[in-house]
Amino acid sequence: AKETAAGAMDAVRGRDDDGPSATQLVAAGLNRLFTRDVTRECQCEAASFTVAYLLGIPVFSLTPNALEAVKLTRDAEVGVTYQTANGVSKLLVWLLAAVAIESNNHRQLIVSDPRQASALLKLLRKSAGDDEAGNTAEDDELRLRLALSQAQDLLQKYPDALEQLSQRMESGAGTVGNCVAILEKPVR
């Protein structure tokens, strides 16, 4: 799992020190395009939903992305909460929840997109019109590592609920209310 998590961090950073061969890149791309694993997709969606719920993020997106996270920072009602360092950290954890579960369960990331978290930092920096006064690439990498670790920790605390939620989603019978009810049991 540590090797996979390290690979996930390489993907988050957008680099691989060894550099994959052209064949590996093509194989990974074809795998991503033509492999559909509903169980894996539902595990990733359940992880994102669970983390959003536990962190109090007021969305029900099962496949979060950087643009949706940026919209939260601009929302009239809750935006001020997510414009703080703590708020951005919560959004990063949410964006990396699917990466955390997929990297723990599989050797290769197919469903989750680890680039969304670094894209959020870039979009926030761009919208602020500056370079976040002193934040470096190393600072971003530390924030991303911490967020991935926090996502993994949160998901490890609720394995039974996560499994039930994933199964409910896979069955197609999972409403938002059903999903919240599953999560409420272990949280109480």
Side-chain angles (χ1 to χ4, degrees):
K2 280 188 176 183
E3 290 175 3
T4 307
M9 280 312 303
D10 285 339
V12 167
R13 289 190 306 260
R15 68 171 193 228
D16 183 1
D17 294 334
D18 296 338
S21 70
T23 304
Q24 289 171 320
L25 288 173
V26 169
L30 290 173
N31 214 7
R32 204 180 222 339
L33 286 173
F34 297 112
T35 300
R36 177 121 199 266
D37 184 342
V38 175
T39 300
R40 189 178 194 151
E41 289 173 11
C42 290
Q43 287 173 343
C44 290
E45 291 172 355
S48 295
F49 186 89
T50 299
V51 167
Y53 181 78
L54 293 172
L55 295 178
I57 298 173
V59 295
F60 297 108
S61 174
L62 302 178
T63 53
N65 61 58
L67 292 176
E68 188 170 1
V70 167
K71 285 181 189 176
L72 273 174
T73 67
R74 296 181 180 154
D75 185 90
E77 291 182 33
V78 297
V80 72
T81 302
Y82 298 104
Q83 293 170 3
T84 65
N86 188 41
V88 172
S89 293
K90 286 181 178 183
L91 294 174
L92 291 173
V93 172
W94 174 52
L95 289 171
L96 290 171
V99 173
I101 196 76
E102 192 173 20
S103 67
N104 283 340
N105 295 339
H106 306 282
R107 286 180 359 106
Q108 181 183 14
L109 300 179
I110 293 176
V111 175
S112 62
D113 186 357
R115 299 168 298 177
Q116 293 300 317
S118 57
L120 171 64
L121 293 175
K122 289 175 186 170
L123 287 169
L124 290 176
R125 192 171 290 124
K126 184 178 179 181
S127 71
D130 59 23
D131 198 27
E132 260 190 312
N135 276 354
T136 63
E138 292 81 21
D139 293 332
D140 285 355
E141 184 173 333
L142 287 173
R143 289 174 87 177
L144 295 171
R145 282 186 183 277
L146 180 61
L148 181 61
S149 176
Q150 289 173 334
Q152 290 169 329
D153 289 346
L154 273 175
L155 295 172
Q156 287 174 359
K157 288 180 183 178
Y158 303 100
D160 295 336
L162 194 57
E163 182 62 29
Q164 289 175 21
L165 189 56
S166 178
Q167 288 173 357
R168 178 64 59 105
M169 289 177 170
E170 191 172 354
S171 74
T175 65
V176 171
N178 295 136
C179 294
V180 168
I182 290 169
L183 292 175
E184 275 295 312
K185 291 177 188 173
V187 172
R188 289 185 182 175

